[in-house]
Structure formats: C-alpha cells, structure tokens
Amino acid sequence: MVAQGHGLEALCFFLALTRDRIFGLIVQLNLPTPHDRPMRRGGARAWTQSDFPILLDGWLNNWSAACIADRLGRSRGSIYYQTRRLGLARRDRRLLHWPEPAVPEPVTPPKADTAKPRLPARWPVYGGDKVLELTSKRKGLQVDWLKNLEAYVDVGWRVWSGQRISVIAENYGVSYITIASAAYWLNAKGPSSHKDLVDHFDRALGEANAKARGGELRKSEVDGITPYWKVGDMFKSRRDKRNAKRRGLAF
C-alpha cells in the first residue's frame, strides 16, 4: 500500500489502525514514510472502513472474488479494482475457494479491572552505555520525554545502531509502540535490511551510521528543545511540519 502511494490517513482507514500503530509498522518494516495528505473521498457507494478488513482477510486467505463480493454486497469488478488500488499481490487460481461461514463465538464482556497498565513514577533504562532514568506523566500513562531528553536521544542512537525496536522497548520498560513512535518523531533511521538488526547497542556504530547517512542532530523550531535528526533535504522536523499544518502555514 505504501508503494501504491497511499498516505497515513488512507492506511489508517484501510487497515483500521491508529497512526501510532502505522508508525510502528513503518519502522518495523523499514518502509518509506507515507505522505500526510488527506485521502480522497468517494460518493454514495464509497467503501466504508469496515469493508476493507473483509476484503483484505478474504483476499489474503484465498477466498474467491465472487465470495468476497457476496460478503460485501458488491460486484467482482469492484473487488478487483480495490485490490489493484491497494497493490495486493495476485493469487494462484488453484487455491481459491468459497469458505463456509464461521460460527461466531460467544462474546465475553470485558472485565471491569482491565485498565491500561500504568508506568511507575521513575524507573531505570537498561542495556545502554550510561546510566539513564525515565519518568512518567499523566498519572503513568505516558513517558515524559521532555524531562528525559538524554534518554530520548539515546533511543535515536539505538535505532541508528540497528538495535531492534522490541529490544529497545524491553530495555526502556515501555511498549513497542512507544519506542516506534519516538523513533518516528526523532527521524532516526535503522538499517535498510532486517538481517542487519541486532539485539545489542553500540553507540559508536550508531553515530557512525548517522554520519554516513548525513544525519545531523538538531532541535525543533516548535520549542527549541525537542531533538530530531535532519537527514538529506529534510529542512524541518516532523513536529515543525505538524505545527505549521495546524496553523495553516505552508513551506
């Protein structure tokens, strides 16, 4: 879908995922960052967000186009059009089938105590070349990166060095999405190939990789504090671009 030129809003719509989850997948799969332009809207027969999971599930599980069309109340031509639009791979016709309808399992109501896990007020970071600590905000719901900028930059060096996002998250005691989102806003670049990812952290290697790719550590114009790496012709940080967009500015 990224190769087809779909932007962040379209990916969130097609895959029914949050922007943070999309950012995490982009970092994990080492994909180019999609554009942030609004997606095109259809007419009265436009596909809804609930249609696309059925299309993707059916197509990837070798349901026949007629079966998918029947489930969605659309024509086979509409199914083929959307698969081309999304860039889905062609399938072996010999594997296509019409599955039996699944029997829905009874829905179990969520437990009353399934609250989102909260972070401690203060905790150490492991696996690095120096002693670092993190603190939380919003009653333990978020990492307070602005009060822990050294640790924030350390995330970037780890990504540049090729350390796996999952290992960084484990060392930092936070979720995968938290680290993937931080790497996105830092504009830190990992290896181009997954086989080059490692479990250990080598800061010197991270600095060398950043220098080789022209990465320059700067501060955001929004607050003059938040760090990011300028790479190539990137003149402003992602935070600066978002801030300008909210204010209706163009650059």
Side-chain angles (χ1 to χ4, degrees), residues 145-146 149 152-153 218-228:
W145 291 120
L146 282 179
L149 288 176
Y152 189 53
V153 173
R218 292 190 173 185
K219 294 181 180 179
S220 170
E221 294 179 5
V222 172
D223 53 21
I225 299 174
T226 310
Y228 75 98

Side-chain angles (χ1 to χ4, degrees), residues 62-74:
N62 292 316
W63 296 3
S64 67
C67 173
I68 302 173
D70 181 73
R71 299 284 174 92
L72 294 174
R74 298 182 179 273

Side-chain angles (χ1 to χ4, degrees), residues 142-157:
Q142 291 181 347
V143 177
D144 193 344
W145 291 120
L146 282 179
K147 290 186 178 179
N148 300 272
L149 288 176
E150 187 176 9
Y152 189 53
V153 173
D154 184 69
V155 171
W157 290 127

